[in-house]
């Protein structure tokens, strides 16, 4: 129930826990899976640490991680990696090694076209629906909605208490989400409260240095594996809280 997000758009400035090379991403993924992660989400990086959709970098990254783990591996298609929608589609068409799935942020320009292309290629689509955007409304009207692998309900509010309220509002906005599974997660100060809420609601979730750098007690995490271990504990705490409330 807890997937690992290895790095996100973070850089070396965010600390040594952020894996930036294919080899370090593979090491981090292997340790996270050993700790209990069931899926990997990664942002391939250029040598200077920038997110990229480059087919060469994607192939190197996926091959390195798949040599170490047997769980599904997904990547980002975030607009920050390729701002021009047409160029983003060309990048994806040029991929020589395909991920198991890719996230598509529904509020970004070109989301529908990116999702359709990925589906045509046989790549699972994670529909990224961010709080504070029109993503939920656009996804509700999307012809690709019923075909996605799952919905990533992404809470961008980072206040510990306000993030939970934002998460509940986002889930309400999603409605039945075209009947697709929902993965709920937060970021930074909101990451752990939202993860516990996911446990309470019985939803899938994710954790990793993309979403949060500190453990629940406030100490900087030294690895994605440490965050996954803590995430499983916090998720189970949410489930126990739900059982006590019945």
């Amino acid at each position: 129930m807890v997937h690992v997000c290895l790095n996100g758009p973070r850089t070396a400035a965010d600390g040594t826990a952020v894996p930036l090379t294919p080899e370090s991403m593979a090491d981090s993924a292997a340790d996270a899976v050993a700790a209990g992660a069931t899926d990997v989400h990664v942002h391939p990086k250029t040598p200077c640490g920038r997110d990229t959709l480059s087919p060469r970098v994607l192939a190197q990254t996926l091959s390195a991680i798949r040599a170490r783990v047997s769980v599904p591996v997904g990547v980002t298609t975030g607009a920050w990696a390729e701002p021009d929608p047409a160029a983003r589609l060309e990048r994806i068409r040029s991929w020589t090694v395909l991920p198991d799935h890719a996230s598509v942020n529904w509020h970004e320009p070109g989301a529908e076209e990116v999702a359709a292309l990925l589906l045509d290629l046989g790549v699972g689509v994670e529909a990224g629906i961010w709080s504070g955007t029109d993503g939920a409304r656009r996804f509700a009207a999307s012809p690709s909605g019923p075909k996605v692998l799952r919905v990533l309900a992404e809470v961008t509010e980072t206040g510990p208490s306000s993030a939970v309220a934002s998460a509940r509002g986002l889930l309400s906005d999603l409605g039945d989400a075209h009947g697709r599974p929902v993965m709920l997660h937060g970021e930074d100060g909101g990451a752990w409260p939202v993860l516990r809420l996911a446990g309470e609601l019985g939803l899938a979730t994710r954790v990793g240095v993309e979403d949060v750098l500190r453990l629940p007690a406030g100490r900087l995490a030294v690895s994605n594996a440490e965050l996954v271990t803590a995430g499983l504990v916090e998720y189970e705490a949410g489930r126990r809280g739900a059982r006590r409330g019945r």
Side-chain angles (χ1 to χ4, degrees):
M1 296 296 290
V2 177
H3 298 190
V4 64
C5 46
L6 293 180
N7 51 10
R10 296 193 192 271
T11 68
D14 294 300
T16 58
V18 183
L20 298 174
T21 66
E23 294 75 19
S24 64
M25 293 176 207
D27 289 342
S28 188
D31 291 343
V33 169
T38 57
D39 198 302
V40 174
H41 173 74
V42 65
H43 291 206
K45 303 280 188 181
T46 65
C48 63
R50 187 179 69 84
D51 285 7
T52 181
L53 304 183
S54 159
R56 179 182 58 82
V57 176
L58 196 84
Q60 291 174 342
T61 302
L62 290 174
S63 297
I65 294 173
R66 284 171 170 161
R68 301 291 305 279
V69 305
S70 58
V71 302
V73 183
V75 300
T76 184
T77 64
W80 57 87
E82 179 50 74
D84 180 70
R88 199 179 319 142
L89 291 172
E90 284 306 307
R91 283 287 204 176
I92 294 170
R93 287 192 189 97
S94 69
W95 287 352
T96 57
V97 176
L98 296 177
D100 295 289
H101 51 77
S103 61
V104 178
N105 299 319
W106 234 259
H107 64 282
E108 293 178 347
E112 287 288 348
E113 293 78 9
V114 169
L117 174 57
L118 290 167
L119 290 168
D120 285 345
L121 293 172
V123 176
V125 172
E126 295 182 311
I129 312 300
W130 293 20
S131 63
T133 73
D134 65 350
R137 179 185 61 77
R138 293 175 61 182
F139 182 69
S142 171
S144 298
K147 305 173 188 176
V148 305
L149 177 66
R150 59 179 154 255
V151 174
L152 296 183
E154 308 197 38
V155 180
T156 59
E157 171 60 58
T158 58
S161 58
S162 55
V164 171
S166 181
R168 292 188 183 279
L170 178 56
L171 292 173
S172 176
D173 290 343
L174 280 169
D176 71 354
H178 291 290
R180 307 313 300 146
V182 174
M183 175 182 288
L184 176 66
H185 72 98
E187 60 185 51
D188 294 325
W192 296 111
V194 172
L195 188 149
R196 287 190 290 271
L197 177 64
E200 177 185 332
L201 299 176
L203 299 175
T205 192
R206 76 178 201 185
V207 71
V209 298
E210 174 175 354
D211 288 348
V212 64
L213 296 172
R214 294 186 178 274
L215 296 165
R219 177 174 63 81
L220 277 171
V222 299
S223 66
N224 276 301
E226 191 173 33
L227 288 166
V228 169
T229 298
L232 289 167
V233 171
E234 295 297 308
Y235 188 86
E236 183 56 33
R239 293 185 65 185
R240 287 197 304 270
R243 289 195 290 268
R244 285 196 299 269
R246 290 172 184 165

